[in-house]
Amino acid sequence: MSRSDRSRSTDDTAALSLDVTIDGTSAEVSIRGEVDLGTVPLLDVVLTAVIEHGCTRVAVEASRVEFLDCAGLRPIAAAANLLRRDGGELVVRSPARPVVRVLELTGATAIVPIEEPASTVDEVSEAMPGGLTQMAAVPASTDMLEAVLDALVVLAAATISAADGASLTLRRHGQLATAASTGETFAALDQQQYDAGEGPCVDAAIEGRPFQVESAEDERRWPAFMGSVVDRGVHSILSTPLLTAMGPVGALNLYARRAGAFEAGGHDVATAFADQAATIVGYSGAQRSAEQVTERLRSALEARETIAQAQGILMGRQEVSAEQAYVILRRRSQDTDVPLIDQARQLIADVADPNGG
Amino acid sequence: MVERADHLDRARLEAGLSHTELWMRYFELGGMSSALEVEGYLYGALHPTAHDHDLIAHALNERFVELGGDHPVAYRSS
């Protein structure tokens, strides 16, 4: 059975958007916009997913690339090497000038050949009876993490043919929430589980094990939640945990309208997507901590500056050394229980406005 | 008075500060030694200058005050 759903983002303000067409073992990843350090993770996720799906011939359609530097080349070259190792290939199709320039400058055309075909989509559909089997368009977003997770659920649902929809549950600040979903129905089913405090996605996200509903009508677990599942026309659920070194951080949830949809398979691919999501979430979590550390260091440098100024004032007034000035500040702090930095600020403020309160 | 070499580290543990957090507070107070050196001071493996010792002591004491206590850590240059 062939299926072709197509949705494409028409947001012109987005930096990067990708269209993915998968037909058997061939895939075309069409890039529009700018590929730089900020948007590269999206391209990386998509190429990895396409390869893990089993595609051996991947074309990166690059006629609408506005910007691509060496950072953007990296995931393309990595994908090319990976494919070639297993007897496949990656080509760059109809590259725009920025892409040609980078490929030539870096000599990457040796591993990433350029292809200028006469026709693309028609050739592919003629090769496979029944036309295109899957298409997924990745919506662009100004928030990189959001964009990457959106891409991930769309690809997971497209890649796992048994699934009609997918969603990503993340645990943030001790609470479960849906970070991305391919449709309102699935986000709503997630929410019902959070509200009920039970369900396969809740259990997977907390216990770090996969949970599967083979037939919603016959499922005895999670009675508070199951009723709404059948009401929404869903009969199979597969929730795969996102596992990190610090335990489970969420779950990738697959939903299907027919019962027994995930019996025959999909678990390995679901695990592959869940692992990828966990890596992405872990990476972005580390980024946020790095921001916090940076902020702390910045304010520490300000504090040191302030204390040095206060020392300078005391050195001038009382003709003492820097170290002696420091002891003065420290003793004031000791005697009043007011932190040293606040003593320093007060001293500076008094100098600036001696008649102040 | 015989001081245990690791008296600063025991105070750190009582104050509930990690090595990193203590170094950060020492740094905020104007400390110039690296995190590794400060760790050495805490264990008694390296000998700090009186200034550095008192900076660490003050960082610890400010923390104890935050917790509602007193200044249990003695300074070298009182």
Side-chain angles (χ1 to χ4, degrees):
Chain A
M1 177 177 115
S2 75
R3 195 175 68 172
S4 57
D5 335 82
R6 180 173 213 150
S7 67
R8 176 185 291 178
S9 164
T10 53
D11 178 4
D12 292 325
T13 64
L16 176 71
S17 71
L18 304 174
D19 285 327
V20 179
T21 308
I22 296 176
D23 197 344
T25 57
S26 289
E28 182 181 82
V29 177
S30 177
I31 304 176
R32 179 163 55 119
E34 299 171 4
V35 185
D36 60 21
L37 205 58
T39 59
V40 129
L42 185 56
L43 181 56
D44 204 4
V45 161
V46 170
L47 285 173
T48 306
V50 161
I51 294 174
E52 280 178 1
H53 169 80
C55 292
T56 52
R57 198 179 179 278
V58 177
V60 175
E61 203 284 331
S63 64
R64 294 170 304 165
V65 173
E66 284 157 24
F67 177 86
L68 186 135
D69 63 7
C70 294
L73 188 57
R74 200 175 31 81
I76 297 175
N81 286 329
L82 206 60
L83 283 165
R84 197 172 328 101
R85 190 194 64 189
D86 294 331
E89 70 161 349
L90 182 148
V91 300
V92 172
R93 184 174 284 160
S94 312
R97 271 213 55 72
V99 182
V100 175
R101 200 158 44 232
V102 171
L103 288 173
E104 285 175 351
L105 277 172
T106 58
T109 47
I111 42 171
V112 185
I114 294 176
E115 182 189 275
E116 302 280 2
S119 156
T120 57
V121 172
D122 291 344
E123 278 177 1
V124 169
S125 2
E126 272 162 27
M128 288 296 299
L132 301 165
T133 57
Q134 283 152 30
M135 279 179 77
V138 176
S141 160
T142 51
D143 180 328
M144 267 323 299
L145 176 64
E146 195 187 297
V148 172
L149 294 178
D150 278 339
L152 195 132
V153 291
V154 166
L155 277 162
T159 305
I160 300 164
S161 49
D164 291 309
S167 69
L168 195 74
T169 298
L170 285 186
R171 190 158 58 180
R172 280 173 174 151
H173 314 299
Q175 291 219 312
L176 295 179
T178 296
S181 78
T182 61
E184 250 320 294
T185 304
F186 314 110
L189 282 170
D190 281 0
Q191 189 60 48
Q192 272 162 338
Q193 293 178 65
Y194 309 146
D195 293 341
E198 66 175 33
C201 87
V202 170
D203 285 0
I206 291 179
E207 292 188 35
R209 288 185 293 125
F211 283 88
Q212 184 182 346
V213 172
E214 290 163 21
S215 165
E217 281 185 1
D218 304 323
E219 182 61 63
R220 297 253 182 91
R221 298 169 290 179
W222 314 297
F225 163 63
M226 272 305 140
S228 52
V229 176
V230 176
D231 287 345
R232 288 182 183 269
V234 169
H235 291 267
S236 297
I237 306 177
L238 174 62
S239 287
T240 309
L242 269 55
L243 298 173
T244 69
M246 292 181 301
V249 296
L252 175 67
N253 312 305
L254 300 170
Y255 294 96
R257 301 198 187 281
R258 65 180 180 87
F262 304 113
E263 283 303 281
H267 294 239
D268 286 347
V269 181
T271 302
F273 276 107
D275 286 347
Q276 226 170 70
T279 305
I280 290 163
V281 169
Y283 170 75
S284 76
Q287 285 295 89
R288 272 195 277 275
S289 301
E291 279 163 18
Q292 283 169 358
V293 169
T294 305
E295 180 48 40
R296 184 86 188 268
L297 283 171
R298 195 202 55 77
S299 90
L301 288 173
E302 246 183 54
R304 288 162 66 89
E305 184 69 34
T306 300
I307 290 170
Q309 276 183 41
Q311 271 174 287
I313 291 170
L314 287 170
M315 284 164 73
R317 273 191 185 166
Q318 304 190 18
E319 291 178 10
V320 292
S321 71
E323 227 174 81
Q324 286 166 328
Y326 197 96
V327 174
I328 293 170
L329 279 171
R330 193 256 291 157
R331 284 200 190 122
R332 282 189 193 178
S333 167
Q334 232 181 307
D335 294 339
T336 60
D337 272 356
V338 170
L340 196 148
I341 180 61
D342 291 329
Q343 290 288 358
R345 286 189 187 122
Q346 190 61 56
L347 182 67
I348 293 169
D350 288 346
V351 165
D353 184 9
N355 299 318
Chain B
M1 178 177 90
V2 174
E3 265 179 9
R4 284 186 54 160
D6 62 348
H7 69 286
L8 289 176
D9 201 51
R10 283 183 298 116
R12 175 191 70 81
L13 285 166
E14 258 184 62
L17 294 176
S18 67
H19 282 117
T20 310
E21 181 60 30
L22 176 58
W23 179 83
M24 184 59 81
R25 288 167 179 253
Y26 158 90
F27 183 72
E28 281 167 350
L29 285 171
M32 300 285 279
S33 297
S34 70
L36 197 58
E37 285 167 322
V38 168
E39 216 176 305
Y41 302 154
L42 290 168
Y43 292 142
L46 287 175
H47 296 298
T49 59
H51 181 69
D52 262 342
H53 175 281
D54 289 349
L55 269 180
I56 294 170
H58 196 70
L60 289 165
N61 284 332
E62 279 193 353
R63 170 61 174 171
F64 281 119
V65 168
E66 267 173 35
L67 297 172
D70 206 340
H71 321 133
V73 187
Y75 299 97
R76 290 246 172 99
S77 44
S78 288

